[in-house]
Amino acid sequence: MADLLRLLLRVAEKAANVARVCRQEAPLFQLLVQEKTGEDKNKKFVQDFKTLADVVIQEMIRHDVGAQFPEMAGFIHGEESNKFENGLGESVTVTVCGTEEETAALLATVLDGDRTAASLLARAIHQDPATVDASTDGLTVPLSPSELGIWIDPIDATSQYIEGREELLEEGHLSPSGLHCALVLIGVYLRSTGEPVMGVINQPFNYKDPSGGGWRGKHFWGVSSGDVNICSLSRPKGGSERGRGLSVVLSSSEKPVVKESMTSLCGPEKLMYASGAGYKILCVIQGLADVYVLSEGSTFKWDSCAPHALLRALGGGVVELAKSLQNSPGAPDHQTELTYHQPYTECKGADRWANHGGLVAYRDCSQLRSILGALKVFIRGSRTGGRRLFDQGEKH
Ligand code: 2IP
Ligand code: CA
């Protein structure tokens, strides 16, 4: 299945192109940042352009993967539905057509006749990027398409993507917010067990070409299946391995009780905040943070599947926080690893696929244990804090 990996790298690059084009081309950018205005005839659509961009990317990936691997066609899932209603109240199903012209014509019906925007978008969708990652040459992956499913997040950290702040990055430091946090995430899981086995991450806005050529992207990939554990990045040296304290990345909207417990564990200077669920896991993959702790059920399968596969390839993983806190010490970590094949049937809509019990992303099992130990001690010492943290886990 190295062919699947190469295909995913290519479609992720195409997706990154679409994301860049939507910010670069004025007619698309205007739609992207436009706020809904009261009397606007197109108000339903204008409000939803970001969703259209997401749907277009998701459908493009679905189209390309389904064409090469028909066995996977019914198992390619994403955040968005491809049914749209335009400003005239007509329902349109967005798909990628056989030719650029046909796709442009279809998109124009959702864009209420805006042919310029529709053509620009269609051109980006039908462009084939030349990039192939030579590091995948000679790779053999012991998996077959009929046992796999896919989760797509066309653009994670959408709010950062729309806002578009260009942060200056310091070597070895994460980006708390801005365009760097926006990622294309494509994760592959085993239908039978839900284990994440392959992941591709594309960061469309990795650095700006100093000669004025605009933003350039960067991709990361990993495969973790049986004896094969390969990642495009090597395992970073960091954390306890280098004798320095543990560093933790959190969402800025994390609960105070978790912020406090992590501050007491690693000290305020090792506590960082960043936007984007996928980006925070990527920070752990890159060694910019040792762990990412999230106590809320605010992420979904499409946020975590791809980066989870990379962490597994590096010897780490992503566990469900609520389950891990209930586990007895010494129980194997793999029992609480997130899986990707089963919905919460008692929930509706996107919530069926939420990571309800929160999560901890880690590279090193001993660091995971330190985090869980610290959270347990803190919860025992603070009754209300404990109750608040467990609310999430008790729901399921
Ligand atoms: C979001 C996005 C948010 C994240 C949230 C995700 O996905 O990654 O940034 O919240 O969990 O579901 P936070 O930044 O607080 O971690 P999307 O942008 O695709 O809706
Ligand atoms: Ca997301």
Side-chain angles (χ1 to χ4, degrees):
M1 289 304 286
D3 283 355
L4 176 64
L5 175 62
R6 281 188 277 271
L7 173 65
L8 295 185
L9 285 165
R10 220 166 43 238
V11 291
E13 183 59 28
K14 262 209 299 191
N17 267 335
V18 175
R20 281 185 293 257
V21 165
C22 286
R23 289 202 62 82
Q24 253 158 249
E25 298 285 350
L28 296 175
F29 183 66
Q30 272 160 20
L31 291 173
L32 196 65
V33 295
Q34 212 162 351
E35 292 289 341
K36 182 178 86 169
T37 54
E39 289 304 301
D40 198 324
K41 167 175 166 289
N42 298 338
K43 73 176 180 236
K44 164 113 178 76
F45 169 68
V46 169
Q47 182 193 19
D48 277 350
F49 181 72
K50 84 166 184 57
T51 315
L52 175 66
D54 272 8
V55 168
V56 159
I57 295 176
Q58 189 178 298
E59 289 310 307
M60 184 182 77
I61 298 173
R62 201 197 298 274
H63 172 268
D64 289 10
V65 175
Q68 192 169 333
F69 297 101
E71 309 92 315
M72 297 184 74
F75 295 86
I76 305 170
H77 323 284
E79 179 170 7
E80 310 292 349
S81 144
N82 61 344
K83 305 235 176 342
F84 261 92
E85 197 180 293
N86 65 11
L88 305 170
E90 299 159 346
S91 177
V92 183
T93 301
V94 175
T95 50
V96 173
C97 307
T99 66
E100 186 180 318
E101 291 67 31
E102 284 168 335
T103 303
L106 176 65
L107 288 175
T109 62
V110 199
L111 284 161
D112 289 344
D114 187 339
R115 296 210 154 259
T116 316
S119 304
L120 284 166
L121 209 49
R123 189 184 311 155
I125 295 167
H126 285 270
Q127 229 165 38
D128 220 354
T131 40
V132 218
D133 191 324
S135 63
T136 64
D137 289 351
L139 181 72
T140 320
V141 182
L143 292 165
S144 114
S146 56
E147 52 182 353
L148 303 174
I150 291 190
W151 279 111
I152 304 166
D153 192 343
I155 281 287
D156 187 42
T158 337
S159 58
Q160 300 303 314
Y161 170 63
I162 307 267
E163 205 178 299
R165 254 177 310 115
E166 303 187 3
E167 305 278 334
L168 268 185
L169 264 196
E170 247 183 280
E171 175 77 26
H173 289 263
L174 55 72
S175 183
S177 58
L179 280 173
H180 286 104
C181 303
L183 301 177
V184 177
L185 306 170
I186 310 178
V188 182
Y189 64 91
L190 267 187
R191 285 182 214 169
S192 55
T193 61
E195 286 165 85
V197 288
M198 188 186 285
V200 166
I201 301 175
N202 194 306
Q203 189 175 29
F205 307 94
N206 178 262
Y207 71 98
K208 217 167 179 182
D209 184 346
S211 58
W215 280 98
R216 297 275 190 263
K218 185 173 180 168
H219 63 254
F220 309 87
W221 60 266
V223 174
S224 174
S225 171
D227 296 339
V228 180
N229 281 291
I230 309 172
C231 185
S232 62
L233 291 175
S234 45
R235 201 181 145 81
K237 296 236 175 311
S240 48
E241 297 152 28
R242 262 201 265 151
R244 63 171 176 85
L246 201 65
S247 61
V248 178
V249 63
L250 301 175
S251 163
S252 53
S253 61
E254 185 51 84
K255 294 183 185 118
V257 62
V258 176
K259 289 183 178 173
E260 273 171 60
S261 87
M262 290 299 110
T263 312
S264 59
L265 176 70
C266 58
E269 69 288 351
K270 295 277 181 204
L271 194 58
M272 296 168 282
Y273 296 95
S275 292
Y279 180 69
K280 282 188 277 289
I281 312 182
L282 180 61
C283 288
V284 178
I285 294 166
Q286 293 175 297
L288 300 173
D290 296 321
V291 283
Y292 161 35
V293 179
L294 175 70
S295 70
E296 312 265 1
S298 53
T299 66
F300 297 86
K301 298 302 172 197
W302 49 82
D303 294 317
S304 53
C305 187
H308 190 170
L310 271 74
L311 270 180
R312 277 167 53 105
L314 293 172
V318 182
V319 292
E320 181 185 320
L321 177 61
K323 257 195 216 159
S324 301
L325 289 174
Q326 284 153 14
N327 243 5
S328 50
D333 301 318
H334 64 80
Q335 282 182 354
T336 58
E337 287 280 322
L338 294 183
T339 54
Y340 295 89
H341 60 324
Q342 281 165 343
Y344 283 95
T345 43
E346 69 273 34
C347 297
K348 288 219 162 62
D351 266 351
R352 284 157 48 88
W353 296 105
N355 296 317
H356 285 281
L359 58 84
V360 184
Y362 64 98
R363 285 191 316 277
D364 188 308
C365 294
S366 64
Q367 293 177 335
L368 169 66
R369 281 185 212 114
S370 307
I371 290 290
L372 294 173
L375 281 168
K376 280 184 189 167
V377 168
F378 208 83
I379 288 162
R380 250 180 258 130
S382 139
R383 268 200 60 223
T384 49
R387 205 169 53 228
R388 264 183 287 155
L389 194 61
F390 275 119
D391 280 349
Q392 213 55 58
E394 279 165 359
K395 250 192 355 200
H396 300 281

